[in-house]
Amino acid sequence: MNIGSKMASNIQPGEELLRIENISLSFGGVKALTEVSFDIKRGEVRAIIGPNGAGKSSMLNVINGFYHPQVGEVWYCGQKRKGLKPFQIAHQGIARTFQNIALFKGMSTLDNIMTGRSTHMRANMLSQAIWRGAAEKEEIKNRRFVEEIIDFLEIQSIRKTPVGRLPYGLQKRVELGRALAAEPVLLLLDEPMAGMNVEEKEDMSRFILDVQSEFGTTIAIIEHDMGVVMDISDRLVVLDYGKKIGDGTPEEIRNNQAVIDAYLGVPHE
Amino acid sequence: MFYRQAGDFKTTYRDDIQTFPLKQDRWGYYIVLAIAFLVVPFFINDYWTSAVMLPFLIYAIAALGLNILTGYCGQVSLGTGGFLAVGAYGCYKIMTSFPDLNIFVVVLLSGLITAAVGMLFGIPSLRIKGFYLAVATLAAQFFLVWLFNKVPWFYNNSASGQISSPERSMFGYAITGPNADAPVRYLFCLTLLVMLAWVARNLTRGRLGRSWMAIRDMDIAAEIIGVNPLRSKLSAFAVSSFFIGVAGALFFSVYLGAVEVGEAFGINQSFLVLFMIIIGGLGSIFGSFVGAAFLVLVPVLLKNIMVNWLGWPTDIAVHIEFMVIGGLIIVFLIAEPHGLAQLWRLAKDKFLLWPFPH
Ligand SMILES: Nc1ncnc2c1ncn2[C@@H]1O[C@H](COP(=O)(O)OP(=O)(O)O)[C@@H](O)[C@H]1O
Ligand SMILES: [Mg+2]
């Protein structure tokens, strides 16, 4: 059990896991997010949708502590977050994938996913130098878990391949594997299906729903394919020009006039 | 017995993560070790020890160290000469302050001192990268050489400004000083190299090594998935400097016996060790050995051929040597950035699946 699962241990499915309160974020003159508030409940698939440049990726970057909003608060597991570095937030059980794949190109699939497991490994430098004993035991234990993920994602055959040589779709899958290896409480997925064909999208949707049901992971997902997103998410947040214009179940969002206007109105990119 | 992995399947993770997964490689390793420890000491003479063996063993330790920092963690350093000097002067100060201390312990302590100094000079890496970091480590190089030249305390106020190694022995055999025999010095350095290579292998195959490589390949993503960049980089500086410090201590106490800092640990050394890991293979333990062997042996070979064999004048031979090595470095940088280790791997892969390449 690591810090993340400990923090979340008394939050039941359906209860609030994360709350974004009145967040405003700007870069120089560009307002990426303006007074956005919403929550994510434990165990749900929460989608963040909106046109390009709406501030979706920025929102995920705020959630995992990479961007620091000028105004607003982030509450996680009932605690107000203050002054944490991204790696500390990872240790609290928040993992993510990136819109532009951010794998470790020189490392194999296995090593990439094992690196995602860092937050569960704590053998000190001396025992790692000696290896036999504590470090080896820890490595094997975590390797077993990582192999389960490799089986789950059906990537056994590329286990030892340097990820730089893999095709795009497989890289996306390895990146999901790396995030899953952390056994996150909250998993953030930034356009995991971008650039995929229908079949690959179906595979990915299945993986995401399996993760939710098998591991009980809470998922926040950014996705452009409306068909897919309405299918897999429990609730959606809609952003447009950095402002929240809709929040609710797929049914509610489909009937939300502001959302319909934003999507049918003149696209701004 | 064929050299291949066909039919050699791993059934446990422990088997899969071992250092030499192939039976043939494992036996090759044991045989090399046995020859190095049990056969070579009976045959080496003074010339081979000082021209080839000691430099190879010591540079291999330094190359392992630099490879951890630059090859695995992606932090370019041009301060190797300076850190070798820290190891050497640390060794000298400990030897002269605590004459009864075992030389083996002295060498390890010199490594620890260098690790601390290396971490200090590694702090800028938290802010700056690539070219700028290289310049910062270059500054460290010049500062350290200047320091050991300038402050007489470091050389115990000796009139020459040199430091020279007193005699120290283990199990009744002199390891340092004028009475140390070639095989003993060789075995002392060999033992340290084997130990440290084993440590390097262990550190790079587990969590720490992966965190170094993650920082090298994409530092932002590494931090976002939970790698502490401060710890990761500083641990790479510490481990790397420890190795280089041990190499510096051996360079001074066992190999040269007496050194003057600017001459022995100048910027040339920084480049030499860097070239070793480039030619041998960045991010490869084996490559560190190959690179060190290559850059120690090639000059000796070239000199023997040109001067002793062809009878050319020494100065011309030296120039040609520079050109050959310079050319090789350019070739490797352009054609095979993963070095000789990669060429070896490719050749092996061809054999491994033979006779069924697909
Ligand atoms: N690091 C940054 N520096 C400057 N501007 C940024 C940065 N990140 C995002 N932005 C700006 O914030 C706005 C929202 O971007 P983003 O969150 O990537 O949108 P989305 O993911 O919805 O397409 C855009 O105008 C973008 O240019
Ligand atoms: Mg985006």
Side-chain angles (χ1 to χ4, degrees):
Chain A
M1 197 145 141
N2 68 353
I3 307 172
S5 38
K6 228 172 269 165
M7 279 181 80
S9 60
N10 50 6
I11 296 178
Q12 304 305 316
E15 289 179 7
E16 175 192 289
L17 178 69
L18 182 108
R19 189 166 83 245
I20 296 297
E21 238 178 57
N22 196 31
I23 293 277
S24 293
L25 170 76
S26 54
F27 300 98
V30 182
K31 282 188 160 177
L33 294 168
T34 313
E35 293 168 10
V36 178
S37 302
F38 65 92
D39 65 347
I40 299 178
K41 292 190 177 126
R42 182 126 205 225
E44 73 174 338
V45 174
R46 183 73 145 132
I48 303 175
I49 64 170
N52 271 325
K56 306 181 296 296
S57 296
S58 301
M59 193 68 244
L60 292 196
N61 282 328
V62 168
I63 294 176
N64 77 357
F66 188 57
Y67 286 170
H68 300 280
Q70 283 81 8
V71 184
E73 295 169 357
V74 177
W75 289 71
Y76 178 62
C77 295
Q79 293 174 19
K80 185 177 157 185
R81 178 192 290 163
K82 26 186 171 314
L84 290 182
K85 298 251 166 55
F87 77 87
Q88 292 168 314
I89 290 167
H91 280 266
Q92 292 190 340
I94 300 184
R96 73 172 290 180
T97 65
F98 298 83
Q99 185 170 353
N100 309 308
I101 300 171
L103 286 170
F104 308 123
K105 291 265 175 351
M107 298 160 70
S108 66
T109 297
L110 180 63
D111 278 342
N112 267 276
I113 301 180
M114 282 296 284
T115 311
R117 196 77 192 143
S118 307
T119 49
H120 292 261
M121 300 175 78
R122 49 182 61 82
N124 61 30
M125 196 196 275
L126 189 64
S127 65
Q128 287 188 76
I130 296 167
W131 191 253
R132 293 266 171 234
E136 189 183 42
K137 227 170 100 193
E138 184 180 71
E139 178 87 3
I140 290 172
K141 188 175 126 216
N142 287 287
R143 171 74 184 272
R144 207 162 279 143
F145 182 84
V146 162
E147 288 292 337
E148 276 173 32
I149 289 172
I150 288 177
D151 286 345
F152 173 72
L153 295 174
E154 296 157 17
I155 47 178
Q156 297 91 338
S157 60
I158 55 163
R159 198 186 272 120
K160 299 270 167 92
T161 315
V163 292
R165 283 199 226 141
L166 297 174
Y168 179 82
L170 278 180
Q171 290 199 10
K172 280 263 179 198
R173 220 183 270 191
V174 175
E175 211 193 15
L176 176 62
R178 186 179 69 184
L180 289 179
E183 274 183 278
V185 173
L186 173 61
L187 174 62
L188 314 174
L189 302 172
D190 196 343
E191 306 201 15
M193 302 178 212
M196 287 189 169
N197 62 31
V198 177
E199 200 185 322
E200 287 172 322
K201 279 184 185 174
E202 277 171 4
D203 281 346
M204 193 53 99
S205 306
R206 186 164 49 81
F207 289 139
I208 291 168
L209 290 177
D210 283 353
V211 168
Q212 184 201 19
S213 59
E214 273 187 38
F215 306 114
T217 310
T218 310
I219 295 168
I221 178 173
I222 297 175
E223 182 47 52
H224 279 299
D225 187 320
M226 278 308 140
V228 172
V229 98
M230 291 292 181
D231 249 13
I232 65 172
S233 54
D234 297 305
R235 291 192 303 155
L236 302 91
V237 178
V238 190
L239 297 179
D240 190 25
Y241 288 113
K243 293 202 178 85
K244 184 170 100 170
I245 58 166
D247 188 345
T249 63
E251 198 49 44
E252 289 164 353
I253 295 299
R254 252 189 227 108
N255 301 321
N256 181 320
Q257 196 53 47
V259 175
I260 295 168
D261 288 348
Y263 271 88
L264 296 182
V266 191
H268 40 263
E269 213 192 68
Chain B
M1 187 71 204
F2 288 113
Y3 182 76
R4 59 200 177 124
Q5 68 185 12
D8 186 7
F9 295 113
K10 301 293 175 272
T11 48
T12 68
Y13 298 133
R14 186 176 178 162
D15 282 350
D16 197 49
I17 57 179
Q18 62 192 339
T19 306
F20 299 103
L22 286 181
K23 214 190 282 160
Q24 291 87 341
D25 279 352
R26 210 147 54 231
W27 279 106
Y29 167 73
Y30 294 141
I31 291 169
V32 169
L33 268 189
I35 293 175
F37 275 102
L38 303 174
V39 181
V40 176
F42 292 101
F43 291 94
I44 48 171
N45 54 24
D46 281 340
Y47 171 76
W48 273 91
T49 309
S50 26
V52 176
M53 283 314 195
L54 289 184
F56 163 67
L57 297 172
I58 293 170
Y59 277 121
I61 294 175
L64 279 171
L66 186 63
N67 220 335
I68 282 171
L69 184 64
T70 303
Y72 282 94
C73 197
Q75 313 295 306
V76 180
S77 166
L78 291 175
T80 312
F83 295 130
L84 285 167
V86 175
Y89 280 75
C91 181
Y92 176 67
K93 287 304 289 187
I94 300 174
M95 277 174 118
T96 50
S97 311
F98 307 95
D100 295 330
L101 206 57
N102 183 302
I103 179 70
F104 192 77
V105 176
V106 171
V107 169
L108 293 183
L109 286 177
S110 316
L112 283 181
I113 292 174
T114 317
V117 175
M119 267 167 83
L120 201 65
F121 283 103
I123 291 173
S125 73
L126 305 175
R127 278 297 162 83
I128 56 178
K129 299 186 210 179
F131 176 72
Y132 297 96
L133 180 63
V135 172
T137 56
L138 194 63
Q141 163 75 42
F142 286 113
F143 169 74
L144 289 168
V145 169
W146 172 85
L147 183 74
F148 294 127
N149 243 330
K150 214 64 192 169
V151 181
W153 180 80
F154 286 112
Y155 47 88
N156 288 358
N157 306 303
S158 82
S160 60
Q162 281 201 340
I163 55 173
S164 50
S165 165
E167 179 170 318
R168 293 285 179 271
S169 32
M170 259 173 95
F171 312 119
Y173 292 101
I175 309 270
T176 65
N179 299 321
D181 284 334
V184 177
R185 295 156 78 204
Y186 163 83
L187 280 173
F188 186 74
C189 292
L190 179 67
T191 308
L192 274 158
L193 172 60
V194 171
M195 274 177 49
L196 289 180
W198 179 71
V199 166
R201 161 66 185 154
N202 288 344
L203 287 178
T204 51
R205 69 166 132 180
R207 187 204 54 183
L208 196 59
R210 283 189 296 267
S211 81
W212 291 337
M213 292 187 276
I215 290 284
R216 172 196 70 192
D217 285 352
M218 195 171 269
D219 52 357
I220 290 175
E223 171 160 20
I224 284 173
I225 67 166
V227 173
N228 181 342
L230 177 110
R231 269 206 210 167
S232 185
K233 285 182 187 172
L234 288 189
S235 64
F237 268 95
V239 173
S240 161
S241 308
F242 177 82
F243 278 56
I244 294 171
V246 167
L250 293 175
F251 211 89
F252 153 67
S253 64
V254 180
Y255 178 38
L256 295 178
V259 299
E260 196 275 314
V261 63
E263 227 170 83
F265 302 117
I267 180 75
N268 288 352
Q269 294 282 14
S270 300
F271 281 112
L272 181 61
V273 180
L274 187 62
F275 293 156
M276 283 174 179
I277 64 171
I278 290 173
I279 289 184
L282 290 169
S284 159
I285 304 278
F286 178 60
S288 314
F289 281 81
V290 180
F294 194 81
L295 283 190
V296 167
L297 274 176
V298 165
V300 175
L301 270 179
L302 288 177
K303 184 168 168 252
N304 270 319
I305 293 174
M306 291 188 291
V307 179
N308 301 354
W309 205 41
L310 298 174
W312 294 357
T314 326
D315 54 339
I316 293 187
V318 168
H319 287 137
I320 292 182
E321 183 192 313
F322 277 140
M323 282 157 57
V324 169
I325 292 187
L328 281 172
I329 287 158
I330 293 170
V331 167
F332 272 102
L333 277 176
I334 295 170
E336 186 47 79
H338 296 292
L340 287 167
Q342 175 73 1
L343 292 180
W344 169 248
R345 228 172 352 249
L346 290 177
K348 234 167 70 169
D349 282 349
K350 283 231 161 62
F351 278 110
L352 283 181
L353 299 174
W354 191 87
F356 309 113
H358 292 293

